Amino acid sequence: MKLNFLPAITPGNCSMQSPTIPLFDKSAKPLILALLLFCPLSAFAANTWSYHQESDRLSNRTFSFAQSPLPPRGLYDNLRLDIICKDNTLQVAVEADSLIASQGSAFGFEYQIDKNPPVTLQMKTFKDTKRRGYTEEFAKRIVDDLLTGQSIFIRINTMIRTVLSAAMPLENAAEPIKHVVTDCGLNLSDNAAGESAYSLTEFEQAFGKLPSEQQQQVLNKIKKIIMETQKALLIEK
């Protein structure tokens, strides 16, 4: 039987391409096992958020960041999110393979967590690149939102009037993001620090499981809360 051998195993050759040796060939198993043991775990965890610490080459100061996975190839544009703590300042940065805007220029950034209403805000490219932008003003708000969802969809309006978009999972994002927030000495919002906000879908599912008598009791309480809230809003006006 003719065999095509696996390429040499080196630290830079850990791509998860299908081996050319048939999987039913027993001689392939030791080689595949060696590949799994030799390659870094990060080579197989490309779809998860990760925490990193690096040093600025100019200032030699250490900074930390949580990095999103890249979206699936062919479905979206190549965009990545970074949650950064540098000089005790929290930033949210977005990086693209494509042109976003001129250096130091503002551009439109939009994100949507799960099925919640989209949020539109302004970011600005760094002074030394046209493909990477950031915000400090809205960083905390974005982080709080990231920690309450299961996925995020983002859009960038570029200077050449094209739209870049990507979707990313938020599974396993909490730990690296919270690590960065802690590095900056910041506190999370109540929803982000604890459980996710109670959604209408969750309420409807739980409400539907109640007996009709208890459903009516819940509705009466909700009606009372709404009336009191409306009355308080009228007083404020």
Side-chain angles (χ1 to χ4, degrees):
M1 177 171 53
K2 184 178 179 181
L3 299 177
N4 295 317
F5 292 99
L6 286 168
I9 301 173
T10 65
N13 187 19
C14 291
S15 60
M16 289 302 291
Q17 296 178 351
S18 300
T20 54
I21 295 179
L23 292 178
F24 56 79
D25 190 337
K26 294 181 180 180
S27 64
K29 293 182 179 179
L31 291 175
I32 295 173
L33 180 59
L35 178 63
L36 291 170
L37 293 174
F38 188 82
C39 292
L41 183 61
S42 59
F44 311 103
N47 198 39
T48 60
W49 285 71
S50 55
Y51 173 83
H52 307 268
Q53 279 190 335
E54 293 185 4
S55 294
D56 190 303
R57 293 181 180 180
L58 296 177
S59 65
N60 290 324
R61 292 180 180 175
T62 301
F63 66 95
S64 61
F65 61 98
Q67 192 169 69
S68 76
L70 288 170
R73 289 188 178 182
L75 297 179
Y76 299 102
D77 296 293
N78 230 22
L79 301 177
R80 191 193 293 274
L81 280 176
D82 288 335
I83 315 301
I84 307 166
C85 178
K86 192 170 185 179
D87 296 329
N88 292 321
T89 301
L90 188 67
Q91 293 180 345
V92 173
V94 61
E95 185 173 6
D97 284 349
S98 305
L99 175 71
I100 296 177
S102 300
Q103 295 99 319
S105 299
F107 63 92
F109 177 81
E110 185 177 4
Y111 70 93
Q112 182 178 26
I113 306 294
D114 298 334
K115 295 183 179 180
N116 296 326
V119 178
T120 302
L121 50 86
Q122 290 282 306
M123 282 193 175
K124 184 170 65 174
T125 52
F126 289 92
K127 295 180 179 180
D128 59 350
T129 178
K130 298 178 181 179
R131 291 178 168 83
R132 184 173 167 83
Y134 74 101
T135 177
E136 293 177 356
E137 180 183 359
F138 301 106
K140 186 61 167 54
R141 175 182 179 178
I142 296 173
V143 166
D144 286 342
D145 288 346
L146 288 173
L147 293 174
T148 62
Q150 300 298 316
S151 64
I152 181 173
F153 178 76
I154 62 176
R155 266 196 295 254
I156 295 174
N157 298 304
T158 73
M159 65 180 294
I160 56 175
R161 297 184 180 180
T162 59
V163 176
L164 305 176
S165 62
M168 304 164 190
L170 293 175
E171 185 180 0
N172 301 321
E175 184 176 345
I177 291 177
K178 287 179 180 179
H179 200 159
V180 173
V181 173
T182 301
D183 291 344
C184 269
L186 298 174
N187 295 320
L188 296 167
S189 69
D190 292 338
N191 286 338
E195 298 181 355
S196 300
Y198 193 49
S199 67
L200 180 60
T201 300
E202 290 176 309
F203 167 77
E204 290 175 343
Q205 291 174 348
F207 182 78
K209 296 177 183 179
L210 296 175
S212 57
E213 183 178 345
Q214 290 182 326
Q215 285 183 345
Q216 189 58 53
Q217 291 176 359
V218 171
L219 291 175
N220 290 338
K221 291 180 180 179
I222 292 175
K223 181 180 179 180
K224 183 178 179 181
I225 291 171
I226 291 176
M227 292 178 65
E228 290 176 350
T229 303
Q230 289 176 334
K231 191 179 298 183
L233 291 174
L234 289 174
I235 293 174
E236 289 181 1
K237 293 180 179 179

